[in-house]
Amino acid sequence: MKSRLSKHLYSTTLVAALLAGNAHLAMAAPAVVAAAEQTQTAPLSLHGAIEQALKTSIDLELLQIDYEVTEYETLYTLREKAAIRLENVNTLDDAKKKYEDAAKARKDLALSEVTLKTTKNNLQLQVQKAYFEVSSLEEKIKLQKQSIQRQYWSESDEAKEKLSALETSYKQALAKLNDLLNEKKDKSWHLETRELSAPLVANLEEAKAQAYKKRPDMMKAVAEKDFAEVKVNYTKDYTPISTYKGKVAVKQLRKSALVLERLKQKVAQEVADSYEKVAAAKKTLDESVLAQNEAAKQYQQALSDYTSQKAVLKDLIEKEASLFAAETKASESLYQYNLAVSTLGQSIGF
């Protein structure tokens, strides 16, 4: 085992070589190892992960089949009701058979689509979160290893214990991602997506407008209101709206309109909150990257000063600690930004 003095001499020699421009010699072996590791793992973009999860989900396929069956049944019902001639519709019961049954078929199809879309959106969000959790832990493991390599003066086991904990968390996160992809739990990937792009919306109002159209819960509420409106329309055509059935139909329509309005307010608030969180997370990310770059410059200067005996080891230790803290903050900021973008995507409706 090398003594601390020999380790110190070796490390300062290596530092001098790096500063002298011989970094390619010092880093050649790790670079080869890294390249070899990458060739053994399959590339996986976020889009590819989502596509694989959607294609291989049995639950999603079952819901797709249910939707297609409902679609066929709806088409049959609509053709059957369209065949009923208007001159044969003379009573409220006749009108119900023609109009309400057709409206119910359309509503059932819409609700089937809502169930399918809800499951699909939830699965997409789960994949995004799992993907970025794995990516974040990969980055944290890399940073921890780099910090350990820089701290040649330390024999503390604390950093190694943190590294071991990170590696355990990484295995768990990878297993979760692979479970969503229907792969072996320990299959490794070369993750290609680092930073998400926020949904393409011009402003907050456009984001809200998209959410009103695309969100499954909004689609369901609209379908319920449309169905209630059909009942009011045919009821008032074949019986006074003041009758018991007419009043019930009007009340049901009012209720569905209120439910839709309340949901619209909730959706607007959720989208606004998510929109603001993305903006705040992006600001934090940009600031943390700048702080990381500055910390790296200060560390390199301290390393140069220490090598040329212009600074003491304490200064170098402090700058390394500051660099590691800045790197960790930037990594966590990227993770939180990606989560914020994913949440915004779901709040809009993907």
Side-chain angles (χ1 to χ4, degrees), residues 198 272-288 329 332-334 336-338 340-341 344:
D273 290 345
S274 297
Y275 196 88
E276 291 174 4
K277 286 179 181 178
V278 168
K282 181 61 175 173
K283 183 174 182 291
T284 300
L285 174 59
D286 292 342
E287 291 173 350
S288 67
K329 175 69 180 298
E332 181 63 20
S333 296
L334 176 61
Q336 294 300 329
Y337 168 75
N338 284 330
V341 173
L344 176 60

Side-chain angles (χ1 to χ4, degrees), residues 155-223:
E155 292 183 347
S156 171
D157 291 331
E158 183 180 356
K160 293 180 181 179
E161 290 173 357
K162 289 181 179 178
L163 176 61
S164 178
L166 285 171
E167 289 173 338
T168 299
S169 297
Y170 169 78
K171 290 178 182 178
Q172 295 170 347
L174 182 63
K176 182 167 63 176
L177 174 61
N178 281 328
D179 185 55
L180 292 169
L181 302 180
N182 289 285
E183 294 279 4
K184 290 176 18 178
K185 291 187 179 298
D186 61 347
K187 181 169 182 178
S188 59
W189 303 95
H190 172 57
L191 303 185
E192 296 181 327
T193 304
R194 175 171 169 79
E195 181 177 328
L196 271 180
S197 297
L200 294 176
V201 289
N203 49 47
L204 176 57
E205 292 308 311
E206 183 183 339
K208 291 178 183 179
Q210 287 191 23
Y212 298 152
K213 296 178 181 178
K214 296 167 62 177
R215 279 181 56 137
D217 50 357
M218 286 293 299
M219 293 167 58
K220 178 180 178 181
V222 169

Side-chain angles (χ1 to χ4, degrees), residues 39-180:
T39 59
Q40 294 172 0
T41 57
L44 183 67
S45 66
L46 179 61
H47 176 74
I50 292 171
E51 287 296 306
Q52 179 167 333
L54 295 179
K55 288 180 181 178
T56 59
S57 170
I58 294 178
D59 290 341
L60 198 59
E61 185 175 359
L62 288 172
L63 290 174
Q64 180 67 40
I65 291 172
D66 288 343
Y67 171 75
E68 291 173 358
V69 169
T70 304
E71 188 174 31
Y72 293 138
E73 291 175 341
T74 299
L75 290 173
Y76 176 79
T77 299
L78 293 179
R79 289 177 181 175
E80 184 181 50
K81 301 308 173 183
I84 300 176
R85 301 173 66 87
L86 287 178
E87 56 265 29
N88 294 329
V89 180
N90 301 307
T91 66
L92 187 61
D93 286 341
D94 293 338
K96 180 178 180 180
K97 291 177 183 178
K98 179 174 177 62
Y99 298 110
E100 185 172 335
D101 289 354
K104 185 178 183 304
R106 283 191 289 267
K107 186 184 79 167
D108 289 345
L109 179 61
L111 297 184
S112 181
E113 182 182 5
V114 164
T115 300
L116 177 62
K117 187 173 177 61
T118 299
T119 303
K120 188 180 292 186
N121 286 0
N122 288 339
L123 179 56
Q124 180 169 336
L125 183 62
Q126 288 179 53
V127 172
Q128 288 186 340
K129 287 183 174 180
Y131 186 99
F132 286 117
E133 184 178 9
V134 172
S135 178
S136 176
L137 286 166
E138 275 186 347
E139 180 67 14
K140 289 177 181 177
I141 288 171
K142 184 188 80 172
L143 295 175
Q144 189 72 59
K145 288 180 177 179
Q146 287 177 351
S147 181
I148 291 173
Q149 290 175 349
R150 291 193 298 252
Q151 296 181 56
Y152 64 85
W153 56 81
S154 175
E155 292 183 347
S156 171
D157 291 331
E158 183 180 356
K160 293 180 181 179
E161 290 173 357
K162 289 181 179 178
L163 176 61
S164 178
L166 285 171
E167 289 173 338
T168 299
S169 297
Y170 169 78
K171 290 178 182 178
Q172 295 170 347
L174 182 63
K176 182 167 63 176
L177 174 61
N178 281 328
D179 185 55
L180 292 169

Side-chain angles (χ1 to χ4, degrees), residues 173-330:
L174 182 63
K176 182 167 63 176
L177 174 61
N178 281 328
D179 185 55
L180 292 169
L181 302 180
N182 289 285
E183 294 279 4
K184 290 176 18 178
K185 291 187 179 298
D186 61 347
K187 181 169 182 178
S188 59
W189 303 95
H190 172 57
L191 303 185
E192 296 181 327
T193 304
R194 175 171 169 79
E195 181 177 328
L196 271 180
S197 297
L200 294 176
V201 289
N203 49 47
L204 176 57
E205 292 308 311
E206 183 183 339
K208 291 178 183 179
Q210 287 191 23
Y212 298 152
K213 296 178 181 178
K214 296 167 62 177
R215 279 181 56 137
D217 50 357
M218 286 293 299
M219 293 167 58
K220 178 180 178 181
V222 169
E224 295 286 1
K225 180 177 177 294
D226 289 345
F227 177 65
E229 196 166 11
V230 168
K231 291 177 68 174
V232 168
N233 289 337
Y234 82 73
T235 299
K236 69 182 181 181
D237 286 341
Y238 289 91
T239 190
I241 203 67
S242 59
T243 63
Y244 169 76
K245 290 187 177 181
K247 289 180 179 179
V248 169
V250 170
K251 291 295 182 182
Q252 288 176 336
L253 176 58
R254 177 59 180 162
K255 180 181 177 180
S256 64
L258 288 173
V259 168
L260 177 59
E261 183 60 30
R262 183 179 62 184
L263 178 59
K264 190 174 181 180
Q265 293 173 359
K266 177 186 174 184
V267 168
Q269 188 60 54
E270 285 183 5
V271 173
D273 290 345
S274 297
Y275 196 88
E276 291 174 4
K277 286 179 181 178
V278 168
K282 181 61 175 173
K283 183 174 182 291
T284 300
L285 174 59
D286 292 342
E287 291 173 350
S288 67
V289 170
L290 290 175
Q292 178 185 351
N293 292 338
E294 180 59 29
K297 290 179 183 178
Q298 292 184 13
Y299 170 76
Q300 289 299 327
Q301 184 60 53
L303 185 59
S304 175
D305 290 345
Y306 177 69
T307 304
S308 59
Q309 299 183 342
K310 295 179 182 178
V312 296
L313 181 59
K314 179 183 176 182
D315 295 332
L316 181 59
I317 292 174
E318 290 177 352
K319 295 304 181 183
E320 197 287 326
S322 297
L323 174 58
F324 180 59
E327 290 173 336
T328 303
K329 175 69 180 298

